[in-house]
Amino acid sequence: MIRILECTEPLQIGGMLNREGENAPNVDAAVAEIIATVRKGGDEALRDYTRRFDGAALSALEVTPSEWEAAVRQVDDAFLAILERAKGNIIAFHEKQRRTGFIMAEQPGVVLGQKIIPLDRVGIYVPGGTASYPSTVLMDAIPAKIAGVGEIVMVTPPGKDGSIDPAILAAAKVAGVDRIFKLGGAQAVAALAYGTESVPRVDKIVGPGNLYVATAKRMVYGQVDIDMIAGPSEILVIADETANPRHVAIDMLSQAEHDRLAASFLVTTDKELAGQVQQEIARLLPTLSRSEIATHSIETNGAVVVTDTLQHAVEISNQIAPEHLEVCTDDPFALLPAICHAGSIFLGKYAPEALGDYFAGPNHTLPTSGTARFSSPLSVDDYIKKSSYIYYDKAALEAVYRDVDTFARREGLTAHAESVSSRFREE
């Protein structure tokens, strides 16, 4: 049974947050060993880990073009059409995120500017195991294509027969992925970060994964860039007395079924609604295909919080900084200006979180574990880098070189100072 708490002061909720994550022993040591082994052993180490962890004996690590095409033909036309419509929505939203460089030439003899450069090659990690996520393929690959990334390399764990879910391969085809490798876990991250005989080294790794994947991403950061360290999924629903308790309950369960560590919160001003949602959750849990996972999540990491005003509800939400925030109130746009910390915000009673997971267009790779306080959803910006450039002609430098000289000497850097002053002293 999900717990109900009463809270009129936002700071009282701190004890209900359980964000310690998984406490598997010696994960860092195990992941460090995997990374070192892959760096040394290359493809053979990858095959060995795939046998051990995925139960698949692979001769070739990469999905061949014929294998890829055959898998796509297995996917029904109706689902392919849905993938295409989702792609259109994702493109339309992410096209708005395109950056352009700029140039400044406002001072005589001075040109300053910034240029936008797409990354050469990125790696996308798509989880396998307990579920298949073609939506992750679309959300991670399409912004990379829009950014102009040179090559998109995808890794995803194979089944015991060495195959990849055809829906995953179909999504990869729709999204424009260039190469796919049958690899999962920390070993896949190591291969992308350092390269092997078959797997090319990438510049950035994006995509969610389990604790071992997240730990590996953390460890290879610096060798490559990463998007974020993703934790378990979260949802927070702000609701008033006009909300439908069944809709609220099933929206909370939509995240609880992801993971035993997922967190689902309701913050409401209506005590009667709180009780109704509690009852609906209890009624719906046994009907779910992943009932055991959702039950553990709800009972361990779920909570219904009753507060006195919607303003307090928003303050509580901002303190939690949820990955997904639903605002199921009569006037959701009235609360939007006060919402400061959330990965993605779903406004109104007909914008369930699942709409964002699959179809609406904004990205579903989002900051978790309260990191929405300082980080953002995956976007086109994640696949670019910026270089600045400076041009001064002789007259422009002559006008300012004494300032630069003085500044450099104040920092004790005489070579810096001489690098500007000597250009004029020699004359």
PDB file of all heavy atoms in Angstrom, residues 3 64-65 80 120 133 143 170 172 220 248 273 315 317 328 335 351 358 360 366 410 418 426:
ATOM      1  N   ARG A   3       1.991   4.917   0.880  1.00  0.00           N
ATOM      2  CA  ARG A   3       1.804   5.701   2.094  1.00  0.00           C
ATOM      3  C   ARG A   3       1.238   7.075   1.781  1.00  0.00           C
ATOM      4  O   ARG A   3       1.497   7.639   0.716  1.00  0.00           O
ATOM      5  CB  ARG A   3       3.135   5.842   2.845  1.00  0.00           C
ATOM      6  CG  ARG A   3       4.245   6.362   1.977  1.00  0.00           C
ATOM      7  CD  ARG A   3       5.611   6.187   2.591  1.00  0.00           C
ATOM      8  NE  ARG A   3       6.626   6.379   1.582  1.00  0.00           N
ATOM      9  CZ  ARG A   3       7.833   6.867   1.815  1.00  0.00           C
ATOM     10  NH1 ARG A   3       8.175   7.229   3.033  1.00  0.00           N
ATOM     11  NH2 ARG A   3       8.709   6.995   0.847  1.00  0.00           N
ATOM     12  N   THR A  64      24.853  -7.219 -39.305  1.00  0.00           N
ATOM     13  CA  THR A  64      25.138  -7.080 -40.729  1.00  0.00           C
ATOM     14  C   THR A  64      23.968  -6.402 -41.445  1.00  0.00           C
ATOM     15  O   THR A  64      22.828  -6.439 -40.960  1.00  0.00           O
ATOM     16  CB  THR A  64      25.378  -8.452 -41.373  1.00  0.00           C
ATOM     17  OG1 THR A  64      24.151  -9.211 -41.305  1.00  0.00           O
ATOM     18  CG2 THR A  64      26.493  -9.205 -40.664  1.00  0.00           C
ATOM     19  N   PRO A  65      24.216  -5.793 -42.613  1.00  0.00           N
ATOM     20  CA  PRO A  65      23.116  -5.158 -43.352  1.00  0.00           C
ATOM     21  C   PRO A  65      21.982  -6.123 -43.674  1.00  0.00           C
ATOM     22  O   PRO A  65      20.797  -5.759 -43.559  1.00  0.00           O
ATOM     23  CB  PRO A  65      23.805  -4.650 -44.625  1.00  0.00           C
ATOM     24  CG  PRO A  65      25.232  -4.417 -44.216  1.00  0.00           C
ATOM     25  CD  PRO A  65      25.527  -5.507 -43.236  1.00  0.00           C
ATOM     26  N   LEU A  80       5.642   0.303 -37.901  1.00  0.00           N
ATOM     27  CA  LEU A  80       6.579   1.127 -38.658  1.00  0.00           C
ATOM     28  C   LEU A  80       5.999   2.509 -38.920  1.00  0.00           C
ATOM     29  O   LEU A  80       6.709   3.527 -38.848  1.00  0.00           O
ATOM     30  CB  LEU A  80       6.929   0.446 -39.981  1.00  0.00           C
ATOM     31  CG  LEU A  80       7.834  -0.790 -39.899  1.00  0.00           C
ATOM     32  CD1 LEU A  80       7.954  -1.448 -41.264  1.00  0.00           C
ATOM     33  CD2 LEU A  80       9.212  -0.419 -39.359  1.00  0.00           C
ATOM     34  N   ASP A 120      32.058  14.187 -34.275  1.00  0.00           N
ATOM     35  CA  ASP A 120      32.384  13.265 -35.361  1.00  0.00           C
ATOM     36  C   ASP A 120      31.630  11.947 -35.232  1.00  0.00           C
ATOM     37  O   ASP A 120      31.084  11.424 -36.202  1.00  0.00           O
ATOM     38  CB  ASP A 120      33.883  12.976 -35.398  1.00  0.00           C
ATOM     39  CG  ASP A 120      34.704  14.176 -35.842  1.00  0.00           C
ATOM     40  OD1 ASP A 120      34.139  15.062 -36.514  1.00  0.00           O
ATOM     41  OD2 ASP A 120      35.900  14.228 -35.516  1.00  0.00           O
ATOM     42  N   TYR A 133      13.322  -1.084 -25.755  1.00  0.00           N
ATOM     43  CA  TYR A 133      13.006   0.343 -25.813  1.00  0.00           C
ATOM     44  C   TYR A 133      13.322   0.955 -27.178  1.00  0.00           C
ATOM     45  O   TYR A 133      14.285   1.707 -27.321  1.00  0.00           O
ATOM     46  CB  TYR A 133      13.776   1.090 -24.721  1.00  0.00           C
ATOM     47  CG  TYR A 133      13.435   0.651 -23.316  1.00  0.00           C
ATOM     48  CD1 TYR A 133      14.307  -0.145 -22.583  1.00  0.00           C
ATOM     49  CD2 TYR A 133      12.224   1.023 -22.732  1.00  0.00           C
ATOM     50  CE1 TYR A 133      13.999  -0.557 -21.301  1.00  0.00           C
ATOM     51  CE2 TYR A 133      11.903   0.615 -21.443  1.00  0.00           C
ATOM     52  CZ  TYR A 133      12.788  -0.169 -20.737  1.00  0.00           C
ATOM     53  OH  TYR A 133      12.472  -0.580 -19.468  1.00  0.00           O
ATOM     54  N   PRO A 143      18.091  13.547 -32.487  1.00  0.00           N
ATOM     55  CA  PRO A 143      18.796  14.817 -32.245  1.00  0.00           C
ATOM     56  C   PRO A 143      20.229  14.807 -32.765  1.00  0.00           C
ATOM     57  O   PRO A 143      20.747  15.846 -33.196  1.00  0.00           O
ATOM     58  CB  PRO A 143      18.757  14.964 -30.716  1.00  0.00           C
ATOM     59  CG  PRO A 143      17.595  14.147 -30.284  1.00  0.00           C
ATOM     60  CD  PRO A 143      17.551  12.989 -31.235  1.00  0.00           C
ATOM     61  N   ALA A 170      14.346  -1.824 -36.255  1.00  0.00           N
ATOM     62  CA  ALA A 170      13.483  -0.989 -37.096  1.00  0.00           C
ATOM     63  C   ALA A 170      13.566   0.469 -36.674  1.00  0.00           C
ATOM     64  O   ALA A 170      13.655   1.367 -37.519  1.00  0.00           O
ATOM     65  CB  ALA A 170      12.044  -1.484 -37.004  1.00  0.00           C
ATOM     66  N   ALA A 172      16.065   1.863 -35.246  1.00  0.00           N
ATOM     67  CA  ALA A 172      17.392   2.347 -35.638  1.00  0.00           C
ATOM     68  C   ALA A 172      17.415   2.730 -37.116  1.00  0.00           C
ATOM     69  O   ALA A 172      18.052   3.713 -37.511  1.00  0.00           O
ATOM     70  CB  ALA A 172      18.444   1.281 -35.342  1.00  0.00           C
ATOM     71  N   VAL A 220      34.538   6.322 -17.614  1.00  0.00           N
ATOM     72  CA  VAL A 220      35.196   6.667 -18.885  1.00  0.00           C
ATOM     73  C   VAL A 220      35.038   8.148 -19.224  1.00  0.00           C
ATOM     74  O   VAL A 220      35.609   8.619 -20.215  1.00  0.00           O
ATOM     75  CB  VAL A 220      34.671   5.806 -20.057  1.00  0.00           C
ATOM     76  CG1 VAL A 220      34.900   4.336 -19.785  1.00  0.00           C
ATOM     77  CG2 VAL A 220      33.200   6.090 -20.358  1.00  0.00           C
ATOM     78  N   VAL A 248      -4.681   9.486 -12.307  1.00  0.00           N
ATOM     79  CA  VAL A 248      -3.491   9.798 -11.513  1.00  0.00           C
ATOM     80  C   VAL A 248      -2.791   8.513 -11.082  1.00  0.00           C
ATOM     81  O   VAL A 248      -1.556   8.383 -11.173  1.00  0.00           O
ATOM     82  CB  VAL A 248      -3.864  10.654 -10.291  1.00  0.00           C
ATOM     83  CG1 VAL A 248      -2.661  10.802  -9.350  1.00  0.00           C
ATOM     84  CG2 VAL A 248      -4.377  12.022 -10.717  1.00  0.00           C
ATOM     85  N   LEU A 273      -9.058  12.970  -2.596  1.00  0.00           N
ATOM     86  CA  LEU A 273      -8.379  12.453  -3.779  1.00  0.00           C
ATOM     87  C   LEU A 273      -7.215  11.554  -3.381  1.00  0.00           C
ATOM     88  O   LEU A 273      -6.981  10.513  -4.006  1.00  0.00           O
ATOM     89  CB  LEU A 273      -7.885  13.609  -4.649  1.00  0.00           C
ATOM     90  CG  LEU A 273      -7.106  13.180  -5.905  1.00  0.00           C
ATOM     91  CD1 LEU A 273      -8.048  12.607  -6.955  1.00  0.00           C
ATOM     92  CD2 LEU A 273      -6.302  14.341  -6.483  1.00  0.00           C
ATOM     93  N   GLU A 315       6.267  24.020  -4.497  1.00  0.00           N
ATOM     94  CA  GLU A 315       7.507  24.102  -3.722  1.00  0.00           C
ATOM     95  C   GLU A 315       8.041  22.709  -3.392  1.00  0.00           C
ATOM     96  O   GLU A 315       9.263  22.467  -3.458  1.00  0.00           O
ATOM     97  CB  GLU A 315       7.265  24.896  -2.440  1.00  0.00           C
ATOM     98  CG  GLU A 315       7.011  26.389  -2.670  1.00  0.00           C
ATOM     99  CD  GLU A 315       6.630  27.106  -1.390  1.00  0.00           C
ATOM    100  OE1 GLU A 315       6.959  26.581  -0.300  1.00  0.00           O
ATOM    101  OE2 GLU A 315       5.997  28.173  -1.471  1.00  0.00           O
ATOM    102  N   SER A 317       7.457  19.997  -5.151  1.00  0.00           N
ATOM    103  CA  SER A 317       7.955  19.469  -6.421  1.00  0.00           C
ATOM    104  C   SER A 317       9.332  20.027  -6.747  1.00  0.00           C
ATOM    105  O   SER A 317      10.233  19.291  -7.172  1.00  0.00           O
ATOM    106  CB  SER A 317       6.971  19.797  -7.548  1.00  0.00           C
ATOM    107  OG  SER A 317       7.483  19.388  -8.789  1.00  0.00           O
ATOM    108  N   CYS A 328      -1.873  18.007 -13.007  1.00  0.00           N
ATOM    109  CA  CYS A 328      -3.265  17.631 -13.280  1.00  0.00           C
ATOM    110  C   CYS A 328      -4.190  18.521 -12.458  1.00  0.00           C
ATOM    111  O   CYS A 328      -4.822  18.082 -11.488  1.00  0.00           O
ATOM    112  CB  CYS A 328      -3.490  16.163 -12.958  1.00  0.00           C
ATOM    113  SG  CYS A 328      -2.520  15.031 -13.956  1.00  0.00           S
ATOM    114  N   LEU A 335       0.405  27.448 -12.880  1.00  0.00           N
ATOM    115  CA  LEU A 335       1.514  26.989 -12.028  1.00  0.00           C
ATOM    116  C   LEU A 335       2.851  26.964 -12.756  1.00  0.00           C
ATOM    117  O   LEU A 335       3.904  26.917 -12.118  1.00  0.00           O
ATOM    118  CB  LEU A 335       1.208  25.589 -11.483  1.00  0.00           C
ATOM    119  CG  LEU A 335      -0.050  25.437 -10.630  1.00  0.00           C
ATOM    120  CD1 LEU A 335      -0.167  24.009 -10.116  1.00  0.00           C
ATOM    121  CD2 LEU A 335      -0.052  26.417  -9.468  1.00  0.00           C
ATOM    122  N   ALA A 351      -2.356  15.011 -20.812  1.00  0.00           N
ATOM    123  CA  ALA A 351      -0.948  14.935 -21.222  1.00  0.00           C
ATOM    124  C   ALA A 351      -0.217  13.966 -20.296  1.00  0.00           C
ATOM    125  O   ALA A 351       0.651  14.349 -19.514  1.00  0.00           O
ATOM    126  CB  ALA A 351      -0.294  16.313 -21.175  1.00  0.00           C
ATOM    127  N   TYR A 358       6.940   8.439 -25.832  1.00  0.00           N
ATOM    128  CA  TYR A 358       6.905   7.819 -27.148  1.00  0.00           C
ATOM    129  C   TYR A 358       6.679   8.762 -28.322  1.00  0.00           C
ATOM    130  O   TYR A 358       7.179   8.498 -29.412  1.00  0.00           O
ATOM    131  CB  TYR A 358       5.788   6.764 -27.189  1.00  0.00           C
ATOM    132  CG  TYR A 358       5.960   5.680 -26.176  1.00  0.00           C
ATOM    133  CD1 TYR A 358       5.074   5.555 -25.105  1.00  0.00           C
ATOM    134  CD2 TYR A 358       7.013   4.776 -26.262  1.00  0.00           C
ATOM    135  CE1 TYR A 358       5.236   4.552 -24.157  1.00  0.00           C
ATOM    136  CE2 TYR A 358       7.179   3.769 -25.320  1.00  0.00           C
ATOM    137  CZ  TYR A 358       6.288   3.668 -24.275  1.00  0.00           C
ATOM    138  OH  TYR A 358       6.464   2.688 -23.345  1.00  0.00           O
ATOM    139  N   ALA A 360       5.168  12.642 -28.400  1.00  0.00           N
ATOM    140  CA  ALA A 360       4.867  14.074 -28.531  1.00  0.00           C
ATOM    141  C   ALA A 360       5.973  14.849 -29.237  1.00  0.00           C
ATOM    142  O   ALA A 360       5.699  15.747 -30.036  1.00  0.00           O
ATOM    143  CB  ALA A 360       4.590  14.683 -27.151  1.00  0.00           C
ATOM    144  N   LEU A 366      16.033  12.127 -19.683  1.00  0.00           N
ATOM    145  CA  LEU A 366      15.838  13.243 -18.761  1.00  0.00           C
ATOM    146  C   LEU A 366      16.707  13.097 -17.513  1.00  0.00           C
ATOM    147  O   LEU A 366      17.083  11.986 -17.134  1.00  0.00           O
ATOM    148  CB  LEU A 366      14.363  13.306 -18.327  1.00  0.00           C
ATOM    149  CG  LEU A 366      13.327  13.428 -19.444  1.00  0.00           C
ATOM    150  CD1 LEU A 366      11.927  13.179 -18.898  1.00  0.00           C
ATOM    151  CD2 LEU A 366      13.405  14.803 -20.090  1.00  0.00           C
ATOM    152  N   ARG A 410      50.574  41.357 -14.118  1.00  0.00           N
ATOM    153  CA  ARG A 410      49.913  41.274 -12.811  1.00  0.00           C
ATOM    154  C   ARG A 410      49.763  39.811 -12.387  1.00  0.00           C
ATOM    155  O   ARG A 410      49.783  39.498 -11.196  1.00  0.00           O
ATOM    156  CB  ARG A 410      48.532  41.950 -12.899  1.00  0.00           C
ATOM    157  CG  ARG A 410      47.739  41.926 -11.600  1.00  0.00           C
ATOM    158  CD  ARG A 410      48.466  42.650 -10.460  1.00  0.00           C
ATOM    159  NE  ARG A 410      48.687  44.059 -10.752  1.00  0.00           N
ATOM    160  CZ  ARG A 410      47.832  45.036 -10.444  1.00  0.00           C
ATOM    161  NH1 ARG A 410      46.695  44.756  -9.847  1.00  0.00           N
ATOM    162  NH2 ARG A 410      48.138  46.290 -10.724  1.00  0.00           N
ATOM    163  N   GLU A 418      55.171  39.628 -23.030  1.00  0.00           N
ATOM    164  CA  GLU A 418      56.079  39.882 -24.149  1.00  0.00           C
ATOM    165  C   GLU A 418      55.476  39.475 -25.491  1.00  0.00           C
ATOM    166  O   GLU A 418      55.818  40.030 -26.526  1.00  0.00           O
ATOM    167  CB  GLU A 418      57.395  39.140 -23.924  1.00  0.00           C
ATOM    168  CG  GLU A 418      58.279  39.779 -22.869  1.00  0.00           C
ATOM    169  CD  GLU A 418      58.697  41.192 -23.252  1.00  0.00           C
ATOM    170  OE1 GLU A 418      59.077  41.410 -24.420  1.00  0.00           O
ATOM    171  OE2 GLU A 418      58.607  42.093 -22.395  1.00  0.00           O
ATOM    172  N   GLU A 426      59.819  45.890 -31.223  1.00  0.00           N
ATOM    173  CA  GLU A 426      60.815  45.607 -32.261  1.00  0.00           C
ATOM    174  C   GLU A 426      60.838  46.693 -33.338  1.00  0.00           C
ATOM    175  O   GLU A 426      61.832  46.888 -34.011  1.00  0.00           O
ATOM    176  CB  GLU A 426      60.508  44.247 -32.897  1.00  0.00           C
ATOM    177  CG  GLU A 426      60.753  43.089 -31.958  1.00  0.00           C
ATOM    178  CD  GLU A 426      60.182  41.767 -32.477  1.00  0.00           C
ATOM    179  OE1 GLU A 426      59.591  41.822 -33.572  1.00  0.00           O
ATOM    180  OE2 GLU A 426      60.337  40.738 -31.802  1.00  0.00           O
TER     181      GLU A 426
END
